[in-house]
Amino acid sequence: MDGKGSTPRWRHTEHERFARAVEGGPQPVGGPDSKDDFADDLAIVELLRSMDVGPDAETRARMKQRVLTAPPPEKPLVLSSVRRVGARARLAVAAAAVLCLLMSLAGMSVLLSRDALPGDPLYGIKRTAEGASLGLTFDEESRALKHLEFAASRVTEMETLAERSSAPADHLTALADLRADAVEGSRQFTEYATSSDEKALPSLRDWALGQYMKLGTLRPRLPGEAGAHADTTMWLLASIAQRAHDLAVRSGCSAVVSGQSDPLGPLPAKDACASAETDPNSSSGRDPASVKPTPSGLPGQSGSATPPVQPTQSVAPGASNPGGTQPGTSTPPSSDKPGITIPLPLPLPSISLPLLPGISFG
């Protein structure tokens, strides 16, 4: 090869001739084929061959014995630690993947359960999500409004159940959740209002009356035992409205609450109303119209949370009343506090239920 950086052809030929001279092979014909050209080089080769530079037989035997009897090499510690770290890393990656999968499934379940109704497989997930949202709400007023929102959602769900002609058990589930959230929301809201913002009480009264009207309109369409339980729930809503009304009437008094409470919250004071001294520089900074509980419970106690009240006998529509009152109405005892008038027509229960003083129908 004559290219740049490569061995010249004549040098390559000379190397081949020297190799044949060392091996004692025949030289190529037609050139300086005598070994005299490499006499000095061949003399050096012979001298190197005659030198004994390797170990003697005894040394070789000793080295062989040492190699054969040497213990096997230990495994490097670095390799084992690397393997342990690799296993832990794989386990961490697998755990993270499983966690992401579970979170994705949970998020999809919560999203799909937003329209679930009592009796649906995803209704339990919906209630759990509502409970989680309450657990993440730390403001007293916001928690009360969430309870009232969930309670109103049960009424809306019952309207859908009635359109689908669902089983009575589904309505009973919705009514139980409605009562639980209505009681808890009323208690928390009245405690907040009487201690922080008494002007918010009329909004609770309006919410309770609104849900009473919706449930009363739905009452004739409820199947089986759901109708009787709806009557109890309607009286509970009327009790909440009466409680909010009584507390709102005393909002300008020095003593608003009596210091006692029941499942619906603080009880109003019964003494004469004395005007409370107010600081003209102070302001509640709250508009009563801004407190409007939006429609929609939280898993809680079932419908046994009806407040202890004085029971009176209700009169069935169309029956005679020896006391001289009109059928379907109740006459509150003599009291200096105003009452609430709930407009009719609404389906009135014909069974004996607790009736609060100050609530009249008509």
Side-chain angles (χ1 to χ4, degrees):
M1 298 179 63
D2 295 332
K4 186 177 179 180
S6 60
T7 304
R9 184 175 299 175
W10 65 270
R11 179 72 67 181
H12 183 70
T13 304
E14 188 175 296
H15 288 171
E16 290 181 353
R17 290 178 56 235
F18 179 74
R20 291 191 182 95
V22 172
E23 295 174 357
Q27 296 296 324
V29 181
D33 53 359
S34 175
K35 294 183 179 181
D36 296 340
D37 296 342
F38 305 110
D40 295 338
D41 297 332
L42 293 176
I44 295 174
V45 172
E46 290 298 332
L47 180 62
L48 293 175
R49 286 177 176 176
S50 63
M51 293 178 62
D52 189 6
V53 296
D56 55 9
E58 182 179 356
T59 302
R60 286 196 295 270
R62 188 171 60 254
M63 293 172 62
K64 181 179 180 181
Q65 184 66 23
R66 182 180 299 175
V67 171
L68 295 176
T69 58
E74 297 181 357
K75 295 181 179 180
L77 298 178
V78 178
L79 181 60
S80 61
S81 62
V82 170
R83 289 179 178 176
R84 287 197 297 269
V85 172
R88 292 175 182 175
R90 289 193 297 271
L91 181 60
V93 171
V98 172
L99 181 61
C100 292
L101 179 61
L102 292 177
M103 293 179 63
S104 301
L105 293 176
M108 292 179 60
S109 299
V110 172
L111 184 62
L112 295 174
S113 66
R114 296 176 62 180
D115 298 329
L117 299 174
D120 293 346
L122 295 178
Y123 182 72
I125 298 178
K126 179 179 180 179
R127 297 289 288 155
T128 302
E130 292 176 351
S133 66
L134 281 170
L136 297 176
T137 304
F138 304 100
D139 181 66
E140 182 179 358
E141 180 190 12
S142 299
R143 286 178 60 88
L145 291 177
K146 276 187 176 293
H147 277 293
L148 299 179
E149 176 185 353
F150 298 152
S153 292
R154 305 292 87 86
V155 179
T156 304
E157 291 168 358
M158 290 180 62
E159 293 175 346
T160 306
L161 291 174
E163 294 176 358
R164 298 182 180 181
S165 301
S166 300
D170 299 337
H171 291 276
L172 293 177
T173 300
L175 286 170
D177 293 339
L178 166 60
R179 288 191 295 268
D181 282 309
V183 169
E184 187 63 21
S186 171
R187 182 187 64 81
Q188 294 183 6
F189 195 88
T190 51
E191 288 178 354
Y192 160 77
T194 53
S195 62
S196 301
D197 190 0
E198 298 171 357
K199 295 182 180 180
L201 288 168
S203 63
L204 176 61
R205 177 198 60 199
D206 296 341
W207 175 87
L209 291 178
Q211 303 310 311
Y212 178 94
M213 297 287 291
K214 292 176 64 176
L215 191 58
T217 305
L218 181 64
R219 167 67 176 85
R221 301 163 57 190
L222 298 181
E225 298 179 2
H229 285 264
D231 294 336
T232 305
T233 306
M234 290 172 62
W235 285 111
L236 174 62
L237 292 171
S239 302
I240 294 174
Q242 181 68 65
R243 178 65 53 83
H245 176 76
D246 294 344
L247 292 172
V249 168
R250 299 189 61 89
S251 60
C253 304
S254 58
V256 178
V257 297
S258 63
Q260 299 178 348
S261 62
D262 62 7
L264 293 184
L267 293 171
K270 297 181 180 180
D271 53 355
C273 179
S275 300
E277 297 181 0
T278 58
D279 186 1
N281 297 325
S282 64
S283 175
S284 62
R286 184 158 187 112
D287 183 6
S290 64
V291 185
K292 294 182 180 180
T294 53
S296 106
L298 173 72
Q301 304 170 351
S302 59
S304 61
T306 304
V309 295
Q310 301 241 348
T312 58
Q313 185 176 3
S314 63
V315 181
S320 60
N321 191 340
T325 59
Q326 294 295 328
T329 62
S330 62
T331 303
S334 58
S335 175
D336 56 352
K337 65 180 180 181
I340 301 176
T341 300
I342 299 178
L344 292 178
L346 280 179
L348 296 179
S350 59
I351 59 176
S352 178
L353 291 172
L355 181 63
L356 292 182
I359 303 181
S360 62
F361 297 87

